Amino acid sequence: MADLASRITKPAEEPAPSDTVPEGSTEGANSVTLIESSYEVEVKLADLQNDAESPLYSVTSFDQLGLSSQINDGLLAMNFKKPSKIQEKALPLMISNPPTNMIAQSQSGTGKTAAFVLTVLSRVDLSKPEQPQALLLAPSRELARQIQAVIKTVGQFCDNLIVEAAIPGAVSRELGVRASIVVGTPGTVMDLVRRRQFDVSQLKVLVIDEADNMLDQQGLGEQCVRVKGMLPKTIQILLFSATFPEKVYNFAKKYAPNANEIKLRQQELTVKGISQMYMDCPDESKKYDILCKLYGLMTIGSSVIFVRTRESANEIQRRMEADGHKVSALHGAFEGQSRDVVLDDFRSGRSKVLITTNVLARGIDVSSVSMVINYDIPMKGPGDREPDAETYLHRIGRTGRFGRVGVSISFVYDKKSFDALSHIANFYGIDLIQLSPDDWDETEKKVQDVIKSSRARPDYAPNALGN
Ligand SMILES: Nc1ncnc2c1ncn2[C@@H]1O[C@H](COP(=O)(O)OP(=O)(O)OP(=O)(O)O)[C@@H](O)[C@H]1O
């Protein structure tokens, strides 16, 4: 317990409350504010991109990377002005010839997707639009669809570009895969190759996003090894993640031999724009009431609530709806297409509070997310005994994307959850801000100060999916 206590700080690092959003402002007033504050945002992001300590820092421009004019036009249309650090460092190594493998790590929300998407686009020969030449693997259907959308957006001026998702229900049984770029989940990709519906003979690049999760021998590792075994031996392999625990990293080096490596130190892993808080709940049964009390704050922007199981996601959604709150839920038990509808509604802002499991912990990029709640502290290992520091980092990384600010609130209620969060805080050297359920005015103030300043900041660059 003392460990966590020693990491409690006053909210000194919180950004100053926005002076551009008036208290109790109406929706209409807010939209005016959004337009007015765009200058401020550009300046703030420009500041970050000029700050050598920031992961968004770079000294070059995209023009200097030697990408095709169609690709540069795509970046321009997305309002990507300068590369981030990972893009600036990794791209020249990945697009040079002869192709070299890469293992790259960079904090959540710092533009890893565009780094590998630009590489893939620079490698495919669009005179053979239906011949698969690049394969990208992701751990969830949602992330695969998102990456597919990013490729289409960056490549919107590339003639004949066909990008197909290899996820359950997406590939025509009669036609098989007919695209130059394929983004999928490992199980479906394996099925398609085995049924001879996916010709992998001409693949030049294999990208594995969330690579530590994908190569983990306890999880998807075996499938990824099998997929690699089906591909040409000379394929360029690019592995990306925000986290790379040592054991998986050693395996990654065998999976992608002789790779260039871009690694972060443990203390560099957290994103500065995310104010990390925790709520000291009196007991487990009070967690639900506290969650409902936070609802007003959750809907200032959009929020994601992470829970441990599908059943508790369903149960919390049912109770919150019965109590008059509008919330949606998404987890692995839902059918693929209904999952797509739920996430699309969340991206567009039609729904603002999403209850989910670890299925959405990684990679999902919705820039309006200003709050993440860890209703249950992430745990791993047999009997969920060990704190899952990597999943914590990915979950909270659903907010604070590319220089934005956000809040994470982790609920603790007993010694086990307290110790687990304490372990995670010490692991990354995080100073957690304590919230008290007994002083609601103070809690609201601490959270609002951060979220309102994020609400005042419109997208510097509309993200690839237009949300
Ligand atoms: N150079 C850039 N300029 C402006 N915005 C950018 C740039 N690169 C990426 N972005 C935007 O930043 C956001 C986060 O990028 P991305 O989803 O690639 O993060 P990530 O590093 O893959 O994060 P995670 O580890 O959570 O998967 C996206 O909305 C993307 O459109």
Side-chain angles (χ1 to χ4, degrees):
M1 296 252 181
D3 280 342
L4 188 58
S6 70
R7 294 241 166 254
I8 296 169
T9 58
K10 298 271 177 293
E13 292 165 20
E14 289 174 14
S18 163
D19 54 5
T20 49
V21 177
E23 279 288 303
S25 59
T26 62
E27 203 51 41
N30 271 341
S31 40
V32 172
T33 311
L34 292 183
I35 296 161
E36 282 175 356
S37 59
S38 69
Y39 174 71
E40 177 206 13
V41 175
E42 295 252 353
V43 171
K44 285 212 165 121
L45 197 80
D47 281 353
L48 283 174
Q49 291 211 280
N50 290 327
D51 169 6
E53 297 298 309
S54 166
L56 308 183
Y57 170 81
S58 69
V59 285
T60 50
S61 67
F62 281 112
D63 291 346
Q64 290 166 267
L65 292 169
L67 300 161
S68 73
S69 61
Q70 288 89 340
I71 296 177
N72 276 325
D73 288 348
L75 291 168
L76 215 61
M78 292 169 80
N79 203 16
F80 281 18
K81 300 205 162 120
K82 279 177 84 178
S84 62
K85 198 178 266 183
I86 187 67
Q87 291 163 358
E88 178 189 53
K89 278 189 180 173
L91 267 163
L93 296 167
M94 295 193 294
I95 60 179
S96 66
N97 284 312
T100 316
N101 294 341
M102 167 66 83
I103 305 175
Q105 185 181 23
S106 170
Q107 298 89 338
S108 58
T110 54
K112 292 185 286 296
T113 315
F116 59 71
V117 164
L118 290 169
T119 308
V120 162
L121 284 171
S122 77
R123 293 241 177 255
V124 293
D125 173 0
L126 293 178
S127 68
K128 299 183 228 162
E130 295 189 359
Q131 175 65 54
Q133 298 166 56
L135 170 62
L136 298 90
L137 295 176
S140 67
R141 99 179 256 121
E142 285 73 21
L143 188 51
R145 284 182 76 228
Q146 179 179 295
I147 295 168
Q148 180 193 24
V150 174
I151 302 172
K152 285 184 175 172
T153 313
V154 183
Q156 61 190 287
F157 300 106
C158 301
D159 293 333
N160 299 326
L161 176 66
I162 309 178
V163 192
E164 201 163 347
I167 53 177
V171 175
S172 148
R173 285 228 164 205
E174 287 113 65
L175 299 178
V177 173
R178 291 196 171 185
S180 44
I181 304 179
V182 183
V183 192
T185 45
T188 306
V189 165
M190 227 156 50
D191 276 1
L192 289 165
V193 180
R194 282 191 184 138
R195 284 195 261 115
R196 299 185 185 281
Q197 292 185 316
F198 178 7
D199 170 17
V200 292
S201 64
Q202 308 295 311
L203 286 179
K204 295 185 265 192
V205 195
L206 169 67
V207 177
I208 302 198
D209 196 11
E210 309 301 341
D212 58 325
N213 180 227
M214 298 283 281
L215 297 180
D216 187 349
Q217 293 306 295
Q218 315 299 325
L220 295 162
E222 210 181 296
Q223 289 186 6
C224 288
V225 169
R226 285 209 206 133
V227 170
K228 188 187 157 194
M230 298 167 161
L231 310 183
K233 298 284 163 275
T234 52
I235 199 162
Q236 179 183 21
I237 301 173
L238 312 174
L239 306 179
F240 277 80
S241 184
T243 52
F244 270 109
E246 182 122 354
K247 214 167 117 200
V248 189
Y249 198 81
N250 291 334
F251 180 65
K253 287 204 277 194
K254 291 188 193 130
Y255 193 90
N258 306 316
N260 288 311
E261 297 173 35
I262 297 175
K263 262 188 103 172
L264 293 174
R265 284 186 294 272
Q266 191 118 315
Q267 255 65 18
E268 294 174 324
L269 292 176
T270 52
V271 172
K272 295 224 161 37
I274 307 173
S275 295
Q276 299 179 51
M277 308 182 180
Y278 74 100
M279 178 68 81
D280 214 344
C281 308
D283 60 59
E284 187 166 21
S285 65
K286 295 288 184 319
K287 282 166 68 177
Y288 175 77
D289 301 332
I290 292 171
L291 186 69
C292 288
K293 273 183 136 178
L294 283 168
Y295 184 82
L297 294 170
M298 285 186 223
T299 49
I300 297 176
S302 305
S303 302
V304 185
I305 303 166
F306 285 103
V307 299
R308 195 174 69 85
T309 65
R310 297 166 176 187
E311 293 71 31
S312 55
N314 291 340
E315 176 60 10
I316 294 170
Q317 183 196 23
R318 189 195 60 72
R319 285 180 74 183
M320 285 186 86
E321 281 188 336
D323 286 334
H325 301 304
K326 197 167 173 282
V327 292
S328 52
L330 192 160
H331 54 68
F334 293 143
E335 277 300 309
Q337 304 211 330
S338 61
R339 280 165 65 163
D340 298 347
V341 172
V342 173
L343 191 58
D344 291 349
D345 281 352
F346 186 66
R347 279 190 195 286
S348 67
R350 280 190 291 275
S351 71
K352 296 182 87 185
V353 177
L354 181 61
I355 307 172
T356 190
T357 58
N358 282 343
V359 74
L360 291 191
R362 286 172 173 257
I364 298 303
D365 180 52
V366 179
S367 55
S368 58
V369 173
S370 49
M371 193 193 287
V372 170
I373 295 188
N374 280 316
Y375 190 81
D376 300 311
I377 304 293
M379 305 294 286
K380 64 181 175 189
D384 271 356
R385 276 201 294 268
E386 266 177 76
D388 188 345
E390 286 78 34
T391 299
Y392 173 88
L393 210 73
H394 288 277
R395 281 181 175 184
I396 68 162
R398 293 321 97 214
T399 187
R401 313 283 298 163
F402 214 83
R404 295 183 185 86
V405 295
V407 172
S408 71
I409 306 179
S410 300
F411 284 13
V412 294
Y413 69 96
D414 65 354
K415 182 163 169 16
K416 184 181 171 192
S417 54
F418 208 101
D419 286 351
L421 186 61
S422 165
H423 170 90
I424 293 169
N426 285 319
F427 186 75
Y428 296 120
I430 305 165
D431 287 326
L432 287 163
I433 300 157
Q434 184 177 17
L435 300 175
S436 161
D438 303 324
D439 188 349
W440 205 252
D441 287 347
E442 184 62 18
T443 291
E444 277 190 345
K445 187 179 174 328
K446 284 179 181 170
V447 175
Q448 248 175 23
D449 283 354
V450 181
I451 295 182
K452 282 203 169 170
S453 67
S454 97
R455 177 103 170 99
R457 298 172 189 198
D459 285 354
Y460 155 75
N463 77 9
L465 300 174
N467 59 61

